[in-house]
């Protein structure tokens, strides 16, 4: 039986670069907005497109949020990218009026805006991921060196209320924020591996291996 990875389409942008990166890594990939296909996937990728509030509204109204949670509940490997990482958490304030929007609630904590009078926001470009001890043990970062450069484009990031016990990497820009997390079958990265050249290709290949049952 094929180990198909589903990229969740919540109608907020072009997902072709994520799809292509996973295919190049050897994955069998389907981009879909069908909750049934999400629910039955062997792996799920939630990409980073749009704002927290808008994305969660669509995910809930479409039934995709429930399907993602069902897949996670049966142990399906999951990778959240950029906004897809933030949506794993309890809440985010990237909304039209700055109020809190409720996330998927898989992990405890918040996503908040990067605020700086000195540095440019959005944070766009190449920056380092500094691996934690958990990160050095994480399957997603196998053969990824500490301090590797990856590509970011975001204005919001995980806040200090995120449990340090799930943080696999930190990045320092405006503030020190968790740029990757891991718990059980759930992985998330703030950066874009599909835009991160050779390092990103290694990370996507590692995820494909996890979906195939590798350790």
């Amino acid at each position: 039986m094929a180990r198909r990875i589903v990229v969740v389409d919540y109608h907020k942008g072009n997902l072709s670069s994520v799809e292509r990166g996973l295919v190049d890594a050897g994955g069998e990939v389907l981009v879909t907005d069908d909750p049934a296909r999400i629910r039955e996937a062997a792996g799920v990728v939630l990409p980073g497109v749009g704002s927290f509030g808008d994305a969660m509204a669509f995910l809930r109204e479409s039934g995709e949020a429930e399907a993602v949670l069902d897949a996670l509940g049966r142990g399906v490997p999951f990778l959240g990218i950029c906004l897809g990482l933030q949506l794993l958490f309890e809440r985010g304030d990237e909304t039209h009026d700055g109020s809190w929007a409720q996330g998927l609630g898989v992990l405890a904590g918040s996503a908040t805006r990067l605020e700086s009078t000195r540095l440019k926001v959005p944070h766009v470009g190449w920056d380092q991921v500094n691996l934690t001890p958990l990160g050095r043990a994480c399957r997603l970062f196998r053969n990824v060196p500490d301090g590797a450069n990856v590509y970011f484009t975001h204005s919001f990031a995980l806040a200090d209320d995120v449990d340090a016990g799930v943080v696999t990497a930190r990045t320092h820009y405006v503030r020190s924020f968790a740029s990757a997390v891991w718990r059980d079958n759930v992985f998330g990265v703030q950066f874009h591996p599909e835009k991160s050249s050779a390092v990103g290709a290694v990370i996507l290949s590692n995820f494909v291996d996890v979906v195939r049952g590798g350790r």
Side-chain angles (χ1 to χ4, degrees):
M1 182 177 177
R3 303 290 292 170
R4 177 171 285 168
I5 298 170
V6 165
V7 176
V8 178
D9 181 4
Y10 48 98
H11 298 191
K12 297 297 180 182
N14 185 351
L15 307 181
S16 61
S17 58
V18 174
E19 179 185 17
R20 185 168 57 250
L22 289 164
V23 169
D24 289 347
E28 181 179 340
V29 184
L30 173 68
V31 179
T32 183
D33 61 1
D34 183 350
R37 306 303 292 272
I38 296 168
R39 193 171 275 110
E40 68 187 11
V44 175
V45 175
L46 187 62
V49 184
S51 70
F52 194 108
D54 289 345
M56 279 308 308
F58 186 89
L59 287 170
R60 287 201 174 93
E61 291 165 7
S62 65
E64 291 178 323
E66 184 180 358
V68 167
L69 292 172
D70 286 348
L72 291 179
R74 64 182 180 85
V76 168
F78 174 96
L79 175 62
I81 296 173
C82 195
L83 177 61
L85 158 73
Q86 298 171 20
L87 295 175
L88 283 169
F89 288 81
E90 294 171 309
R91 62 182 190 167
D93 63 359
E94 188 181 7
T95 60
H96 296 298
D97 59 5
S99 61
W100 290 108
Q102 298 304 304
L104 292 170
V106 176
L107 299 172
S110 310
T112 57
R113 184 172 176 82
L114 295 171
E115 300 285 357
S116 178
T117 57
R118 185 175 59 88
L119 296 171
K120 183 179 178 181
V121 177
H123 174 210
V124 178
W126 297 85
D127 215 328
Q128 292 184 322
V129 284
N130 302 287
L131 298 178
T132 65
L134 181 67
R136 288 188 284 273
C138 180
R139 183 67 183 82
L140 197 68
F141 288 105
R142 183 175 293 180
N143 297 321
V144 174
D146 186 24
N149 282 297
V150 291
Y151 190 82
F152 290 85
T153 175
H154 64 119
S155 298
F156 291 75
L158 297 181
D160 291 341
D161 59 354
V162 170
D163 179 9
V166 303
V167 176
T168 51
R170 303 192 73 86
T171 297
H172 311 297
Y173 187 88
V174 176
R175 53 182 164 87
S176 177
F177 60 86
S179 50
V181 300
W182 168 41
R183 190 183 71 187
D184 300 327
N185 56 310
V186 177
F187 304 88
V189 295
Q190 180 60 64
F191 54 89
H192 288 267
E194 77 280 9
K195 299 179 180 179
S196 296
S197 192
V199 170
V202 170
I203 290 169
L204 292 177
S205 179
N206 286 340
F207 182 71
V208 170
D209 285 346
V210 170
V211 174
R212 288 173 173 161
R215 298 294 180 185

